[in-house]
Amino acid sequence: MNFTNPRRRFASAAVAGIALTGLLAACGGSDSGDSDSGAKASGPVTLDFWGWANGQEAVVKAFNASHKDVQLKYTKVTDQLTMQKQLTNAVKAGNAPCLLQNTGEYVTSWVAQGALADITKYVESSKDKFNPGSWAVGQVQGKVYGVPTASAPAFTIYRTDVFEKYGLEPPKTWDDFIAAGKELKKHDIKITNYAGEDPSTLEVLAMQAGANWYSIDGDSWKVDFQDEGTLKAAKVIQDIIDNDLNSKLSFADYAAVQRNYDKGGTVTRQISTWQMSGMVQNFTDSFGDWALAPWPTFKGEAAQTPAGTNQSGNLTLVTEGCKHKEPAAEAALWMSTDTGAVKTMASPETGSGVMPALADSSSYVAEAIPEKLLGKNYEPAQKTVMDSMDTIRTGWTFGPNWTAMFTEMQDEWAKVVSKEQKVTDLLAHMQEWTVNDLKQRGISVKG
């Protein structure tokens, strides 16, 4: 099917409980013809599995050692954006892998394109093994398309030595954050880094503030990039940029970004557990000088942390073209629930430092955060991580053109970071662009 042809008329789509019958009926891919029962009868099967996360090769090796009838063949993809490109080509060519890693923001789009298999009947009985927020990420219209592999507690990590030197406390609110940034600026230190290619900063702050860029209104999508929550987030970001409180280092030179943190050029990050592994792998000077604090709140509001962007939860998805859907779904469940596999992925040394998506992940916190990085702050950091999991926002919806929208936003965000336009200019552009893009795709939209 040609999914960019504006003459094709698609119904609306949304995450978790939105009626997608028309869309899925129009675009759902067909099975390859081999039933799962037939696959089992024919003997051992090999399932292709694509992913990019550190630790997956070890998990696959453990799976293969413990399973005789099913084997996984692992291919490491460069990153999640490369995954989308390669998957697009593979779906068109009819040779997509059975299993693949992806993140929550892409699920609706791939379901709309008929690329993913409904695996509800294979995995629904395991639902209670996972925390509700992570489980919901893999659902569309109440059907399950992916098994969660990680949740994303969000918090601030900061340089204790620098904050102590200048008499600063870890910021409790975004107002405090800006005030601390202004003090640090006097000493040629930046409080945060805004990479010009990464608008996820705007997304997560809008999410935290209660925004909904995409929602459903009747049988149409509703688009709103200029709601109260988004404008509240925009003000914080604009204040930081206007006052030159941010570094502008691109993650294209990942090592340079990490050196900047290590040397004290930039001294805070709002991150999750998985991002700490990169710090451990690249730092040389500041081990033991970092501590965790809660994600800053908006003044006068209760603590709420964003569900994240690529922090929205990793998933193992089963593709529609897979000839062996049941064993593929069972393999996905094993990788997310087997104690050894979960421990491997949770460790920043053997895996990606991700918090598991399990209903009770408390026993893995110590594995997911690096003592080497935190030093004496390691024990209190564990409580910060657990507390943050209780404040993660739910109810955020990823729209059917999310990938295209985010690509457009990247270009506009670069202009914001370079002070060529305001955040509000970006938002106005994205409102118009997203509505028009959905209309061109034949999707009913309001906004």
Side-chain angles (χ1 to χ4, degrees):
M1 298 181 67
N2 181 358
F3 300 105
T4 60
N5 189 335
R7 293 189 294 274
R8 291 296 305 223
R9 303 300 300 176
F10 298 147
S12 48
V15 170
I18 304 303
L20 291 176
T21 305
L23 177 62
L24 297 182
C27 297
S30 60
D31 198 351
S32 58
D34 286 3
S35 67
D36 287 315
S37 59
K40 287 184 174 180
S42 65
V45 297
T46 298
L47 307 176
D48 286 330
F49 172 33
W50 292 2
W52 65 81
N54 292 333
Q56 285 176 333
E57 291 178 85
V59 169
V60 166
K61 184 177 181 180
F63 178 91
N64 289 340
S66 60
H67 292 76
K68 295 181 179 179
D69 295 334
V70 180
Q71 296 285 285
L72 300 180
K73 180 181 178 182
Y74 182 69
T75 298
K76 188 163 188 175
V77 178
T78 306
D79 52 41
Q80 68 170 352
L81 294 179
T82 303
M83 173 69 81
Q84 313 321 312
K85 297 174 183 177
Q86 293 187 359
L87 183 58
T88 296
N89 294 333
V91 169
K92 289 178 179 178
N95 58 5
C98 269
L99 290 161
L100 60 99
Q101 176 190 1
N102 224 314
T103 51
E105 62 263 41
Y106 298 107
V107 174
T108 302
S109 296
W110 285 120
V111 171
Q113 296 179 35
L116 302 182
D118 173 7
I119 57 172
T120 308
K121 64 182 178 180
Y122 307 129
V123 302
E124 185 69 21
S125 61
S126 298
K127 176 180 178 180
D128 291 343
K129 295 180 181 180
F130 300 89
N131 68 62
S134 295
W135 186 257
V137 172
Q139 294 185 63
V140 177
Q141 196 192 2
K143 297 178 180 179
V144 182
Y145 292 87
V147 176
T149 61
S151 55
F155 42 79
T156 299
I157 189 167
Y158 69 100
R159 282 286 294 263
T160 56
D161 55 336
V162 176
F163 271 67
E164 290 169 3
K165 180 177 181 179
Y166 298 111
L168 299 172
E169 296 291 329
K172 294 181 178 180
T173 68
W174 287 113
D175 287 348
D176 295 339
F177 190 83
I178 292 169
K182 290 179 178 178
E183 179 60 32
L184 291 167
K185 180 184 175 182
K186 298 176 184 176
H187 309 285
D188 296 322
I189 298 170
K190 304 295 187 182
I191 196 167
T192 191
N193 180 61
Y194 288 166
E197 73 277 7
D198 185 12
S200 61
T201 297
L202 175 59
E203 180 191 344
V204 295
L205 262 67
M207 188 184 297
Q208 179 194 9
N212 287 291
W213 290 351
Y214 293 87
S215 59
I216 292 294
D217 185 358
D219 61 355
S220 299
W221 281 99
K222 181 180 179 181
V223 173
D224 193 351
F225 284 82
Q226 297 169 300
D227 63 0
E228 181 181 356
T230 304
L231 294 178
K232 189 187 302 183
K235 184 180 185 306
V236 170
I237 293 170
Q238 196 65 62
D239 283 349
I240 290 171
I241 291 174
D242 286 347
N243 287 284
D244 297 313
L245 309 183
N246 60 296
S247 301
K248 302 175 184 178
L249 300 176
S250 169
F251 280 98
D253 190 347
Y254 185 73
V257 175
Q258 298 292 9
R259 282 196 301 271
N260 184 258
Y261 290 124
D262 192 27
K263 302 296 183 183
T266 306
V267 292
T268 79
R269 297 180 69 184
Q270 275 73 46
I271 59 172
S272 188
T273 54
W274 62 271
Q275 289 151 307
M276 299 169 76
S277 61
M279 301 172 79
V280 172
Q281 293 163 11
N282 289 276
F283 284 7
T284 57
D285 296 350
S286 61
F287 290 120
D289 292 332
W290 295 86
L292 305 188
W295 188 282
T297 65
F298 290 96
K299 188 175 181 179
E301 296 186 8
Q304 180 166 256
T305 53
T309 50
N310 53 354
Q311 300 175 22
S312 61
N314 278 318
L315 300 149
T316 304
L317 304 170
V318 179
T319 60
E320 179 60 27
C322 180
K323 296 179 180 180
H324 311 287
K325 294 183 179 65
E326 183 172 5
E330 291 172 351
L333 279 173
W334 186 93
M335 289 189 286
S336 289
T337 58
D338 177 78
T339 301
V342 173
K343 187 174 181 180
T344 295
M345 296 305 296
S347 170
E349 296 181 1
T350 62
S352 302
V354 295
M355 279 296 294
L358 299 173
D360 181 7
S361 298
S362 57
S363 61
Y364 295 96
V365 174
E367 293 285 344
I369 61 175
E371 185 173 6
K372 182 178 182 180
L373 182 66
L374 299 166
K376 65 181 180 181
N377 305 306
Y378 174 67
E379 292 294 336
Q382 296 178 45
K383 183 178 186 305
T384 300
V385 172
M386 289 305 300
D387 288 348
S388 72
M389 295 185 72
D390 295 330
T391 61
I392 296 176
R393 182 203 160 165
T394 58
W396 177 265
T397 298
F398 293 105
N401 65 338
W402 184 270
T403 303
M405 180 281 294
F406 198 80
T407 300
E408 180 69 17
M409 183 178 281
Q410 285 180 298
D411 292 337
E412 297 301 312
W413 173 256
K415 298 174 188 176
V416 170
V417 173
S418 62
K419 295 187 178 182
E420 296 176 52
Q421 67 174 350
K422 300 290 187 180
V423 182
T424 50
D425 297 327
L426 176 156
L427 295 171
H429 172 80
M430 292 310 305
Q431 177 69 29
E432 180 179 3
W433 187 94
T434 305
V435 169
N436 288 338
D437 183 68
L438 288 172
K439 287 180 178 178
Q440 291 173 7
R441 294 169 186 264
I443 297 174
S444 179
V445 58
K446 299 176 182 178

